[in-house]
Amino acid sequence: MSALESADADVTPSRTPDPSASAPSDPGTPGTPGILGKTHRALSIGTIAVVLLIAFEATAVGTAMPVAARELDGVSLYAFAFSSYFTTSLFGMVVAGQWADRRGPLGALAVGISAFGAGLLLSGTAVNMWTFIAGRAVQGLGGGLVIVALYVVVGRAYPEPMRPAIMAAFAASWVVPSVVGPLAAGTVTEHLGWRWVFVGIPALVVFPLALALPAIRRMASGPADPSAPVEAFDRRRIRLALMISLGAGLLQYAGQDLRWLSLLPAAVGFALLVPAVAGRRALLPRGTYRAARGLPSVVLLRGIAAGSFIAAESFVPLMLVTQRGLSPTMAGFSLAAGGATWALGSYVQARPWAEPYRERLMVVGMLMVASAIAAAPTVLLSWVPVWVVAVAWGVGCFGMGMVVASTSVLLLKLSAPEEAGANSAALQISDGLSNVLLLAGGGAAFAALGGGSVGAAHDAVVAGGSSGHPGAFVAVFLPMALVAGVGGWVGVRMGER
């Protein structure tokens, strides 16, 4: 306990004191309470542990994915292995938003973590690529439940002055996994096999469940207004969530199939998707796709940032393994610095001096992301050192740290307590849907330019021959850089009015 109290003392002096939130909000730390003060200590450690689990999964799985795709003869479905996660998470987000608003975030978080672990086990025991993708889909459902539930926990349990700090802590919890994850996953992949990366991660579920759930039960369980009658689930929104998930999945399938017959599932997917995200009673705030000021622009920017960055990052390890002959360990490790710079970017936006300049920081952040994505494919030129990717991604992650944490802070600021779940779900839907659509577009371009055969070129690269199909990677990175650049324009529309 003394160590935690010492850590709390180190955190709180850097924060601007909030008299209204001093003793009542954290009686164990008079004056300027921090997220590790007596009141919030267990909750903060538990929720940060949940984020730590997600971070280990993302960094470790990303490192092992190129080898898994090759061994399962599924390189042509490489993008689908990522986007299937985001497709099902869209449904999980909507369910979690309603679940949390009506009954509190506890149940959604518990079920989500359980599904997350089950999906990892299914992927780790897969005998073909489609079973592997199914496991990723189950994992995505759990991830969607977890992420929205965490936002609701933050909105209910932490006073507004403390929210930037807990968001920064979430970002900081990516640092160790970003460094250790690729190294550990690469070592396990090379010596024991990629399957152990997937089946080993669920063991990390035990600690977050044991620590986070009791704290959430004490501080953030139940409906936002206990005296109000509990409303039934909104079936219309559940139906729209199914439409958005099915529509996104059909578009992704059509993008991977690349035949004339694929126009049919693409058309059906589009018809399902549009009413769910842009209709009169859509799941996203009205005005999102025209970047209306306030909440719609916040939601849109989150999607642009996450979709462009994740779609590009998903192909970085594959590019380094197949085009430059790096081992899975080194390919994953090239992105390791990003965890530290992401946390640093999130730390910067959490400083009290940054609050008046939040919108400007988000614009700068998006320009940094666009520059990083555009710089990554330069390593396709043999004379460009591979460390260029590490440097570029460190810059891009710094920008993402500022943007992602700031959109989270602004969303909670613009949301009434009883709307936090639905609005958090909208933010995550924008995030997940953009991931799916941009991965679908990038994956289609990748496959169309021969990307499905890059795995066969790997041996030639290792042997010193030519790699082939570098244009397939260029067709992924440059459009994503352009999309990120558009996010810089959306960033200027973050004002509340």
Side-chain angles (χ1 to χ4, degrees), residues 420-431:
N423 288 343
S424 296
L427 187 75
Q428 299 303 324
I429 287 169
S430 178
D431 186 319

Side-chain angles (χ1 to χ4, degrees), residues 86-158:
F86 299 113
T87 299
T88 54
S89 69
L90 295 172
F91 179 71
M93 291 168 189
V94 176
V95 172
Q98 295 201 38
W99 195 344
D101 282 343
R102 287 159 176 77
R103 295 179 173 84
L106 183 63
L109 188 63
V111 173
I113 292 178
S114 299
F116 192 82
L120 283 167
L121 291 174
L122 181 58
S123 290
T125 56
V127 295
N128 56 60
M129 193 62 177
W130 284 111
T131 304
F132 181 89
I133 290 171
R136 293 283 292 165
V138 174
Q139 187 185 346
L141 179 63
L145 292 169
V146 168
I147 193 65
V148 171
L150 283 178
Y151 272 77
V152 176
V153 169
V154 171
R156 291 192 184 182
Y158 294 88

Side-chain angles (χ1 to χ4, degrees), residues 200-475:
I201 292 176
L204 299 174
V205 170
V206 177
F207 178 72
L209 280 176
L211 192 59
L213 298 187
I216 294 172
R217 182 180 292 110
R218 290 193 304 270
M219 302 187 66
S221 61
D225 184 0
S227 63
V230 178
E231 299 180 8
F233 275 62
D234 188 339
R235 294 183 180 180
R236 179 189 63 84
R237 292 183 66 85
I238 298 295
R239 185 169 61 252
L240 290 176
L242 286 171
M243 290 171 60
I244 198 174
S245 297
L246 181 58
L250 288 172
L251 286 174
Q252 173 65 27
Y253 176 79
Q256 292 294 300
D257 198 26
L258 295 180
R259 293 183 299 170
W260 284 109
L261 289 176
S262 299
L263 293 176
L264 179 59
V268 174
F270 186 77
L272 290 171
L273 204 58
V274 171
V277 299
R280 187 169 58 89
R281 302 179 66 189
L283 296 173
L284 301 181
R286 181 171 296 184
T288 296
Y289 288 105
R290 55 182 175 84
R293 292 189 180 275
L295 186 62
S297 288
V298 173
V299 171
L300 177 61
L301 181 62
R302 178 58 165 266
I304 289 175
S308 59
F309 189 80
I310 295 300
E313 186 178 59
S314 299
F315 284 86
V316 169
L318 185 67
M319 177 175 67
L320 295 177
V321 168
T322 62
Q323 304 297 296
R324 295 300 297 262
L326 268 66
S327 67
T329 303
M330 293 307 298
F333 202 65
S334 66
L335 305 179
T341 57
W342 189 308
L344 182 60
S346 185
Y347 173 83
V348 168
Q349 66 79 38
R351 297 303 87 203
W353 62 261
E355 185 60 35
Y357 308 103
R358 188 172 297 280
E359 289 79 10
R360 296 181 188 178
L361 290 176
M362 295 168 77
V363 173
V364 172
M366 288 308 305
L367 295 179
M368 295 174 75
V369 172
S371 300
I373 296 173
T378 60
V379 299
L380 292 168
L381 302 172
S382 60
W383 51 270
V384 175
V386 293
W387 55 256
V388 168
V389 170
V391 174
W393 230 247
V395 172
C397 284
F398 182 88
M400 285 293 290
M402 292 195 295
V403 172
V404 171
S406 290
T407 56
S408 302
V409 171
L410 286 175
L411 176 108
L412 294 174
K413 183 178 180 180
L414 296 171
S415 301
E418 66 274 10
E419 297 174 346
N423 288 343
S424 296
L427 187 75
Q428 299 303 324
I429 287 169
S430 178
D431 186 319
L433 180 61
S434 180
N435 284 331
V436 172
L437 295 181
L438 292 179
L439 275 167
F446 181 75
L449 293 178
S453 61
V454 298
H458 177 239
D459 293 338
V461 176
V462 174
S466 61
S467 58
H469 304 296
F473 291 96
V474 175

